[in-house]
Amino acid sequence: MNFIPSRCSVVLASLVCVAASVRAQEVDIDQVRAATAKLIAQLVDQGVLARDKGEALLNDVAKPAAPPPSAGSATAAAGNGAASAKGAAGTVRVPYIPEFVRKELKDEIRLELAAQAFREGWSGPGAIPGWVRKLEWDGDLRFRVQLDRYANDNALQPSITDTNRNRALSPLNTSEDRERLRFRARIGLTATIDENWSGGVRLTTGSATDPLSSNQTLGTYNNRYTVLIDRAYIRYRLGDYSAVAGRMANPWFGTDLMWANDLSFDGVALQWTPKITSDIRGFATLAALPIQEVELASADKWLFGGQIGATLLPSPSTMGAKLGLAYFHYASLRGKPSAAGSTANEYTAPAFAQKGNTYYNISSDPNRPLLGLAADYQLLNLTGQVDLPSIAGKRVIVTGDFVRNFGFDRTAVSQRVGADVSPQVNAYHLRVAFGDADLKALHDWQVFAAYKRIERDALLDAFTDSDFRLGGTDARGYILGGSYGLGKNTSAAFRYFSGDSISGAPLSIDVFQFDLNVKF
C-alpha cells in the first residue's frame, strides 16, 4: 500500500531520527532539546510544518521530563548514581509524539485508505460487490432516416410471406416511394459465472414476425415500441474450445451477402480457436440450428453448417487477413405439394420469406394458394478479408465473399414448376473500405464501396440483407457509404443502395439511409 508523505509523517521521521541518535550515544538532555528545537525551527522555515504547530512542538520540547517510576529510582540509588548518569545497559528511549500529531497522522492514514478502497472497489461504502463486477452491459441506439425509391417500369410481384399467411395472392409494393423515420435500441447483459461458464441476454426493438431487422418505424399514433428478447444463451469455454446453446449471435465468419446483420440464430454451436503461431489463429465451427419445429419430428426444418479458417492478426504497421471456407445444408425446406383434398404437406411452405427464390404452388385448393420453395439449398461459401495499413494510421480493408448452391437440380425444379428453370446458383460480394477500422472517437472516419450479385437460387432469400434492394435474391447492384465520428462511440453514417433484378421480372429499388449511432 503506497501513501504520499505528509508533513506530519516528515516530522515523525525526524523525531525518530533524533531518538535514534540519542539511543546510539549518551547525550545531555539539554543538547537533545536544543537539537530538536533547531530541527523544528528548520521545518517551520522550509514550510514543511505550520508555524502554530511548530510553536506547539517547541513548547512540548521545553517541558521538563517526567520523573522516572519508583522502581527505576531504587535501581538508580543502588547504582551509587553512576548508572543514573550514563543510563543502564540496553535501555531503549522512545521519543515523545504530541497527541495532535498522532491524531493528524491517524486521520491522514484513514483518508488515504478510504481513497484507495474507493479506487480499487474493495472496501468502503461505495464498494462494488464481486458478483456485480462480473456483469457487463453493452448496447447501442440508432436513429435512421430512410428513403425508398422505386423505378417507374417495375413489374408486379407477389409477397411470399403475405400470400402464405392470408391464403390469397398478395402483392409487394413495387411502385410507391416511401419515407420513413426508424429507430433501433439494443441492450445486452453478459454474466461471467466463473472461468468456464457464462451467459447472456439481449433485448431489442423490432417485430416478432421479421427476424432480419430490429428497426422500429416511427409514426404509429405515438404507440409504444415493441421490445423482444433477441439473444439468450449459455456459453461454456475451456481453453481454445467453447460451446454455446440458446439464441446466439451469428457464429460464422462472413458478410451480409448471406446473412442480414441483425439476424440471430437458435440452436447449438461448437467452436475451436487454436493458436497456430504467435500471429495466426485457426478457427473451426460446427452448428445445428433449427429453423422451424413442426409437430412431426422427422419434418423439422434445420440448418447444419461447418466452417474452418485462419486469422492473421493485424497490427498498426502490419497486414491482417482472414479466410474461411464453409458448407451449409438446409434440411426439409423444400415445399411438397399436398394431395387433392389434403393439407398434409402445407407445413412445408415457408413461414417467412422475402423475394427472389423459385417458388411453386403446393396447395391442393386452387382458391387458397400456398407457395413453397422449388429447390434445395446446399451451399459452399468462401470468404476472405485483407486489412492493410495505409497513410496517417488509416487502413484499407478489402473483403470478398462467394457462394454456390450445389443443391439445385434443374430437372427436378423444372418438373415442380412446370417450366424450364435455368440454374441461377452463384452469388458474390466485393467491398473496399478506407479509413479507421472502428469508429470510436471524434473525427474517426471511413468510406466504402461495394458490389453485390445474388442469382435467383444461390441463397435462401429469407435471411439475406433486407436493405439491399429491400431484401431477397435475384439482385445485383452497388453500395456506397461513409461514417464519421462525432464523439466517443458516436457517429453519423450514410449509405446508398442501388439494386436491379438479374433474370426475373423488372424490379429496381434505390435506398438512401442517414444514421445517427451511439454505442455504450
Side-chain angles (χ1 to χ4, degrees), residues 93-124:
R93 297 179 182 271
V94 180
Y96 171 71
I97 302 177
E99 177 63 26
F100 79 92
V101 175
R102 294 199 298 268
K103 182 177 184 303
E104 183 173 300
L105 184 61
K106 180 172 64 174
D107 291 342
E108 288 195 6
I109 293 174
R110 183 186 296 112
L111 290 174
E112 180 62 26
L113 281 171
Q116 183 174 354
F118 178 79
R119 290 193 302 269
E120 299 178 1
W122 50 266
S123 182

Side-chain angles (χ1 to χ4, degrees), residues 7-20 39 97:
R7 292 180 178 179
C8 290
S9 60
V10 172
V11 174
L12 177 61
S14 303
L15 293 175
V16 171
C17 291
V18 172
L39 174 61
I97 302 177

Side-chain angles (χ1 to χ4, degrees), residues 251-297:
W252 317 107
F253 165 57
T255 69
D256 60 7
L257 176 69
M258 186 179 299
W259 320 110
N261 289 327
D262 281 357
L263 182 66
S264 296
F265 290 81
D266 299 330
V268 178
L270 307 176
Q271 296 177 317
W272 179 41
T273 55
K275 186 175 182 181
I276 300 175
T277 69
S278 59
D279 297 325
I280 300 177
R281 271 200 172 273
F283 61 90
T285 303
L286 291 174
L289 310 171
I291 295 175
Q292 183 180 3
E293 192 274 336
V294 295
E295 189 173 351
L296 301 175

Side-chain angles (χ1 to χ4, degrees), residues 417-433:
V417 175
D420 181 52
V421 181
S422 62
Q424 298 280 326
V425 294
N426 296 321
Y428 63 86
H429 179 203
L430 181 64
R431 185 179 189 271
V432 180

Side-chain angles (χ1 to χ4, degrees), residues 33-48:
R33 286 175 175 169
T36 304
K38 184 177 180 180
L39 174 61
I40 293 172
Q42 290 178 353
L43 293 175
V44 172
D45 291 340
Q46 295 175 4
V48 175

Side-chain angles (χ1 to χ4, degrees), residues 101-436:
V101 175
R102 294 199 298 268
K103 182 177 184 303
E104 183 173 300
L105 184 61
K106 180 172 64 174
D107 291 342
E108 288 195 6
I109 293 174
R110 183 186 296 112
L111 290 174
E112 180 62 26
L113 281 171
Q116 183 174 354
F118 178 79
R119 290 193 302 269
E120 299 178 1
W122 50 266
S123 182
I128 301 175
W131 67 269
V132 175
R133 292 199 297 271
K134 293 181 179 181
L135 302 178
E136 180 179 351
W137 293 91
D138 65 273
D140 65 274
L141 304 171
R142 183 181 70 195
F143 176 73
R144 168 173 290 176
V145 178
Q146 180 167 325
L147 310 177
D148 303 334
R149 296 292 181 260
Y150 297 86
N152 294 329
D153 59 348
N154 285 345
L156 291 176
Q157 293 199 19
S159 168
I160 307 302
T161 300
D162 290 341
T163 296
N164 288 349
R165 288 175 183 169
N166 302 329
R167 299 304 300 268
L169 195 62
S170 303
L172 279 174
N173 176 22
T174 60
S175 59
E176 295 296 327
D177 294 345
R178 300 184 68 185
E179 295 83 26
R180 288 179 283 176
L181 300 181
R182 316 185 83 184
F183 199 88
R184 183 184 71 182
R186 301 185 297 190
I187 184 168
L189 173 65
T190 302
T192 301
I193 310 304
D194 57 26
E195 61 182 5
N196 301 119
W197 292 96
S198 63
V201 178
R202 187 170 82 170
L203 302 179
T204 181
T205 52
S207 168
T209 58
D210 183 355
L212 304 182
S213 175
S214 299
N215 290 310
Q216 185 81 40
T217 298
L218 282 63
T220 57
Y221 275 84
N222 295 324
N223 204 353
R224 296 172 180 83
Y225 295 169
T226 300
V227 178
L228 306 164
I229 296 179
D230 181 45
R231 293 178 187 170
Y233 63 87
I234 298 173
R235 184 185 299 275
Y236 178 79
R237 189 183 301 277
L238 181 62
D240 296 333
Y241 298 90
S242 68
V244 59
R247 182 166 177 83
M248 69 195 80
N250 188 342
W252 317 107
F253 165 57
T255 69
D256 60 7
L257 176 69
M258 186 179 299
W259 320 110
N261 289 327
D262 281 357
L263 182 66
S264 296
F265 290 81
D266 299 330
V268 178
L270 307 176
Q271 296 177 317
W272 179 41
T273 55
K275 186 175 182 181
I276 300 175
T277 69
S278 59
D279 297 325
I280 300 177
R281 271 200 172 273
F283 61 90
T285 303
L286 291 174
L289 310 171
I291 295 175
Q292 183 180 3
E293 192 274 336
V294 295
E295 189 173 351
L296 301 175
S298 61
D300 291 347
K301 301 176 183 180
W302 287 81
L303 168 61
F304 301 100
Q307 185 179 50
I308 58 172
T311 303
L312 173 62
L313 302 176
S315 74
S317 59
T318 62
M319 179 188 77
K322 193 170 186 177
L323 184 68
L325 179 65
Y327 175 76
F328 302 102
H329 176 80
Y330 288 96
S332 303
L333 259 68
R334 175 169 50 83
K336 299 178 181 179
S338 297
S342 171
T343 61
N345 292 330
E346 290 189 349
Y347 69 89
T348 62
F352 176 81
Q354 295 192 88
K355 57 182 180 291
N357 287 159
T358 302
Y359 292 90
Y360 74 116
N361 189 5
I362 63 173
S363 174
S364 61
D365 184 350
N367 297 319
R368 302 181 70 247
L370 191 63
L371 304 178
L373 290 164
D376 292 306
Y377 293 86
Q378 300 171 19
L379 313 179
L380 187 66
N381 176 215
L382 179 65
T383 308
Q385 186 176 83
V386 177
D387 183 350
L388 302 168
S390 185
I391 59 174
K394 306 302 180 183
R395 313 286 297 189
V396 176
I397 303 173
V398 182
T399 307
D401 205 357
F402 176 80
V403 181
R404 182 177 178 86
N405 178 16
F406 287 94
F408 186 89
D409 184 329
R410 181 172 187 172
T411 300
V413 172
S414 299
Q415 288 177 350
R416 296 182 188 112
V417 175
D420 181 52
V421 181
S422 62
Q424 298 280 326
V425 294
N426 296 321
Y428 63 86
H429 179 203
L430 181 64
R431 185 179 189 271
V432 180
F434 174 65
D436 295 287

